[in-house]
């Protein structure tokens, strides 16, 4: 059963563009991680002022393996310094991790064949 992790990110007013730029620059950095199934960065439009980073994983173990390695390292304050860049401060003011199990998925071929 797939799992979903949603990072709800609060950014200061006017900092959304920088957050989007940073995510765009690393859009495919996680693609080869075992168990990673995809991600989306969601910009708030109405009724919410936080950005949501939606990630989908094959299982909790895959997510934990990523977080304990590249995930945690990529979220550090000094990220970028290893590539000769100036260390960057996080754009966010705060973040909250929301966690879910996928129960139904309209895109899952197995679910659609069972419904027939």
């Amino acid at each position: 059963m797939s799992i979903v992790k949603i990072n709800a990110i609060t950014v200061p007013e006017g900092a959304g563009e920088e957050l989007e730029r940073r995510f765009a620059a690393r859009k495919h950095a996680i693609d080869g991680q075992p168990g990673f199934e995809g991600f989306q960065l969601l910009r708030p439009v109405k009724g919410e002022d936080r950005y949501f980073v939606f990630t989908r994983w094959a299982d909790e173990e895959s997510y934990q393996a990523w977080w304990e390695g590249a995930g945690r390292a990529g979220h550090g304050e000094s990220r970028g310094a290893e590539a000769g860049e100036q260390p960057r401060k996080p754009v966010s003011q705060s973040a909250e991790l929301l966690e879910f199990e996928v129960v139904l998925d309209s895109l899952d071929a197995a679910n659609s064949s069972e419904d027939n």
Side-chain angles (χ1 to χ4, degrees):
M1 173 181 311
S2 292
I3 63 164
V4 169
K5 304 288 184 172
I6 301 173
N7 197 4
I9 303 174
T10 302
V11 297
E13 189 170 333
E17 189 174 302
E18 176 63 13
L19 180 77
E20 292 176 26
R21 187 189 66 74
R22 289 185 186 186
F23 269 92
R26 297 186 40 81
K27 184 166 117 177
H28 296 290
I30 194 172
D31 288 354
Q33 180 67 36
F36 176 71
E37 297 179 347
F39 107 96
Q40 295 173 314
L41 176 62
L42 307 176
R43 177 189 304 136
V45 177
K46 183 178 179 183
E48 181 62 60
D49 61 356
R50 298 176 294 176
Y51 276 79
F52 288 90
V53 181
F54 177 99
T55 59
R56 184 171 170 147
W57 297 86
D59 50 49
E60 182 67 25
E61 294 75 20
S62 297
Y63 170 78
Q64 289 300 325
W66 168 77
W67 179 248
E68 292 301 323
R72 184 168 293 179
H75 285 79
E77 186 174 308
S78 64
R79 207 186 85 58
E82 70 279 355
E85 301 173 15
Q86 291 295 319
R88 297 185 303 190
K89 299 267 186 205
V91 176
S92 66
Q93 292 177 317
S94 66
E96 176 185 4
L97 184 63
L98 309 172
E99 304 178 79
F100 302 89
E101 289 181 342
V102 177
V103 178
L104 295 173
D105 185 347
S106 67
L107 300 176
D108 184 359
N111 286 342
S112 62
S113 66
E114 290 174 8
D115 292 340
N116 293 331

